[in-house]
């Protein structure tokens, strides 16, 4: 998908050379690297690093300046797949609201279809990279004659389930770039686009850091010398009562404009010579050297389906003091080396594991298990000390044994790992499971782990899971992590495996407070906690315990646990406060929807599915049970029966365009058995049916709409691309 997108932009930029901007226009900057045999579209990557809008062009003849026609010679032929021409941007703004560990981001701007003749039209594709663990919340587009906006609908309530399943547009590239297109837009039209999403704030050393994709290539700068470029950035931070706030750094010049209670605002509005060439970053401190925390309460909103009260208990690990002392560990790395892991993804996993071994303390112990349909252990005598000699031996063993081949059996290595731990209480046992596959007995594995870990306590292994691609069942991995009071992460983009896996292992290896409990929770009614098992507090990230309840919290609550420092007791008294101007339901929507979906998958509960659906519709966060539709509003202006031309009646006609489902699904055991590479699970930018039909039309010189040809095209769509193209050419030849 990424290579296909980059190749389409590459062709689009080359087509831009046809455009004549006039004598007084500034020379456009279009950086198109020379193509060589060794270079691939992926290497030249033209993937967007900020909100972008493209003209989707099939016919090169339409590429023209809508204001200054150059009357170029007619171009014969059509693009085999549509080219993507980046539109010129005429304004941009960013609005960010930060609270706890979540940021709500809205990026908007104006783009002009500068590359299509005024008498012609084209589709326009919008693409926006969303931030860390982001969720798309809404897209709004305005043109002079039409407007578009996204909405979430329930899959159970839609009468057009077939349209949802057959929809081809509205998907994620590399798991992080959301893209959709709008129908015909005339050349010269100005579009305004606004995209909203939520994303996680990264945390390190008591500091939250926001990074918003905001890097624009030079070729989106308009060529007009007189055009004023305005850039607007607005940031609001709610530091939450009980935490300290201090500004740290920013990539763009921000001015502090006000402070009210725990809210602080920053603004930047300026004229710029060219659009931003750096992502927008912003960081601030929220705590002191000690562990800090609090408990927030909030009543449900008037349109909330769940009438129970909401709570959020948060713990920030602090920067120094006891937070630097972590538990000694027993670590077992369980790594999938089935045939589907071959190539760069296994190399990236290997790099992350080797880096983790070097970060172990000499007092830690470890082992490594490589598995496919069989298991292979680094040490047959259970765990070994993490000294220089054993780490060197393990590194050599990994180089020899991390070879991708065979099938996938997750149960056997997990059971082997559980039996390795000493269960003495001196060391905290931790398992890291890394896989790209899905297996038939996943619910049985969860049942087995729950039975073996039922006692809890320090001697109970923590299970941390890491999923690669869309073929593995991420809800199974999340359930394992919940059962094991561990942490879960995933890489839907092969290129992010190394960084994300290293971060997961580093954070999960730095437990500073274990076995955490909140005393007041046991006295509440109808209590529902997310996640259902409270994880440990890590030195590298804050801990949030959220949920719903009936009853009354006391004015103060007590949080207890076990400190890594001498295994002494941890006690913190927290003041219970009402959450003022903090949308707890939206901040924790994604993790609560994931938790409900995970539990629904495991238990088969329709009630939990319904809860997840309602929460998704309430907060606008996509789920497995909802899908996005694009509502097109056509503005038809007609004269009324009155004599004055000023009095007009505006009639609106609404159409619905169905988008792809953004859920990650429940894995694909068939693909795992067949050892398909995770990259094969990505949707295609252009489906083969569309390409085949266009190829047939070009060769015939006319539209082919006979029944037999349409059946032939449907048949070809079931085949792989190369075979489909070959058969199409044969079929068209026979028709001619």
């Amino acid at each position: 998908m990424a290579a296909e997108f980059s190749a389409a932009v590459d062709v689009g930029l080359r087509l831009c050379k046809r455009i004549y901007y006039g004598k007084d226009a500034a020379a456009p900057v279009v950086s198109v690297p020379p193509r060589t045999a060794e270079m691939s579209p992926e290497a030249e990557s033209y993937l967007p690093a900020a909100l972008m809008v493209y003209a989707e062009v099939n016919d090169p003849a339409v590429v023209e300046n809508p204001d200054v026609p150059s009357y170029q010679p007619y171009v014969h032929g059509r693009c085999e797949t549509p080219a993507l021409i980046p539109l010129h941007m005429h304004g941009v703004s960013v609005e960010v609201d930060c609270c706890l560990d979540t940021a709500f981001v809205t990026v908007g701007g104006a783009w002009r279809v500068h590359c299509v003749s005024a008498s012609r039209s084209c589709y326009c594709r919008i693409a926006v990279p969303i931030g860390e663990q982001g969720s798309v919340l809404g897209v709004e587009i305005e043109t002079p004659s039409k407007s578009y906006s996204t909405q979430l609908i329930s899959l159970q309530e839609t009468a057009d389930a077939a349209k949802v399943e057959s929809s081809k547009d509205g998907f994620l590239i590399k798991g992080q770039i959301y893209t959709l297109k709008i129908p015909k837009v005339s050349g010269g039209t100005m579009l305004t686009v606004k995209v909203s999403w939520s994303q996680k704030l990264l945390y390190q050393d008591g500091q939250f850091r926001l990074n918003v994709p905001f890097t624009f290539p030079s070729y989106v700068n308009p060529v007009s010398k007189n055009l004023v470029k305005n850039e607007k950035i607005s940031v609001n931070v709610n530091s939450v009562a009980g935490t300290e706030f201090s500004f740290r750094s920013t990539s763009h010049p921000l001015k502090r404009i006000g402070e009210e209670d725990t809210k602080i605002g920053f603004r930047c509005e300026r004229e710029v010579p060219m659009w931003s060439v750096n992502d927008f970053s912003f960081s601030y401190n929220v705590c002191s050297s000690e562990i800090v925390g609090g408990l927030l309460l909030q009543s449900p909103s008037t349109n909330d389906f769940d009438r129970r009260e909401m709570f959020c208990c948060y713990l920030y690990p602090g920067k120094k003091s006891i937070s630097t002392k972590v538990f000694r560990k027993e670590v077992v790395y369980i790594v999938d080396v089935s045939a589907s892991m071959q190539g760069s993804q296994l190399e990236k996993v290997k790099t992350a594991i080797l880096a983790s071994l070097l970060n172990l303390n000499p007092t830690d112990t470890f082992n490594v298990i490589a598995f496919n349909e069989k298991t292979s252990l680094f040490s047959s005598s259970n765990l070994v000390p993490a000294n220089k000699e054993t780490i060197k031996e393990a590194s050599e063993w990994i180089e020899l044994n991390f070879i991708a081949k065979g099938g996938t059996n997750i149960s056997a290595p997990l059971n082997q790992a559980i039996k390795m731990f000493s269960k003495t209480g001196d060391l905290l046992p931790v398992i890291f499971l890394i896989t790209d596959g899905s297996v038939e007995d996943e619910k049985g594995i969860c049942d087995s782990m729950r039975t073996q870990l039922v006692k809890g306590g320090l001697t109970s292994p923590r299970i941390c899971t890491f999923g690669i691609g869309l073929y593995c069942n991420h809800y199974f991995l999340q359930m394992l992590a919940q059962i094991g009071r561990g942490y879960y992460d995933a890489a839907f983009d092969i290129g992010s495996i190394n960084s994300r896996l290293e971060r997961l292992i580093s954070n999960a290896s730095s437990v500073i407070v274990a076995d955490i409990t909140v005393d007041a929770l046991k006295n509440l009614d109808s209590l529902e906690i997310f996640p259902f098992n409270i994880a440990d507090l890590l030195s590298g990230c804050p801990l949030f315990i959220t949920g719903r309840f009936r009853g009354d919290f006391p004015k103060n609550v007590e949080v207890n646990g076990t400190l890594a420092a001498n295994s002494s007791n941890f006690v913190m008294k927290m003041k219970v406060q009402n959450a003022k101007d903090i949308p707890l339901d939206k901040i924790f929507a994604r993790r609560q929807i994931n938790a409900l979906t995970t539990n629904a998958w495991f238990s088969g509960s329709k009630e939990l599915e319904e809860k997840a659906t309602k929460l998704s519709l309430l907060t606008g966060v996509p789920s497995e049970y909802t899908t996005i539709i694009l509502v097109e509003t056509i503005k038809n202006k007609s004269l009324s029966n009155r004599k004055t031309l000023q009095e007009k009646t505006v009639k609106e006609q609404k159409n619905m365009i169905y988008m792809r489902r953004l859920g990650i699904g429940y894995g694909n055991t068939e693909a795992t058995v067949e050892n398909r590479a995770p990259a094969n699970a990505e949707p295609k930018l252009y489906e083969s049916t569309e390409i085949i039909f266009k190829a047939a039309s070009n060769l015939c010189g006319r539209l082919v709409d006979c029944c037999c040809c349409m059946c032939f095209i449907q048949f070809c769509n079931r085949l792989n691309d190369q075979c489909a193209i070959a058969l199409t050419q044969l079929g068209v030849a026979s028709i001619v």
Side-chain angles (χ1 to χ4, degrees), residues 363-402:
T363 55
D364 297 335
T365 60
F366 75 97
N367 205 342
V368 183
I369 301 177
F371 75 93
N372 38 46
E373 70 269 14
K374 301 178 181 180
T375 59
S376 178
L377 283 69
F378 161 61
S379 171
S380 58
S381 58
N382 297 329
L383 303 175
V384 296
N387 54 46
K388 291 182 179 180
E389 290 75 15
T390 54
I391 290 175
K392 181 181 178 181
E393 292 173 3
S395 300
E396 294 171 351
W397 182 88
I398 287 172
E399 292 292 344
L400 292 173
N401 290 273
F402 276 26

Side-chain angles (χ1 to χ4, degrees), residues 327-344:
F327 277 92
R328 295 166 55 214
K329 303 173 295 297
E330 298 176 298
V331 183
V332 178
Y333 305 92
I334 305 177
V335 181
D336 186 344
V337 293
S338 59
S340 60
M341 287 285 289
Q342 65 184 339
S344 63

Side-chain angles (χ1 to χ4, degrees), residues 30-99:
V30 180
S31 176
V32 182
R35 184 180 294 278
T36 65
E38 293 78 16
M39 294 180 69
S40 66
E42 183 71 19
E44 302 169 18
S45 183
Y46 286 112
L47 292 179
L51 174 59
M52 297 271 289
V53 183
Y54 304 84
E56 198 170 85
V57 175
N58 294 300
D59 183 2
V62 308
V63 178
E64 180 65 277
N65 186 333
D67 304 317
V68 188
S70 58
Y71 304 103
Q72 299 181 34
Y74 182 78
V75 178
H76 295 276
R78 294 170 65 87
C79 300
E80 183 179 349
T81 58
L84 293 176
I85 301 178
L87 298 185
H88 287 168
M89 190 169 72
H90 287 244
V92 68
S93 64
V94 180
E95 297 178 12
V96 184
D97 290 298
C98 302
C99 187

Side-chain angles (χ1 to χ4, degrees), residues 443 479 596-606 608-609:
K443 292 184 179 180
M479 176 56 71
L596 288 168
T597 306
T598 296
N599 293 332
W601 164 79
F602 182 57
S603 64
S605 169
K606 295 298 181 183
L608 292 178
E609 288 184 9

Side-chain angles (χ1 to χ4, degrees), residues 283 349 419:
S283 62
V349 170
K419 296 175 182 178

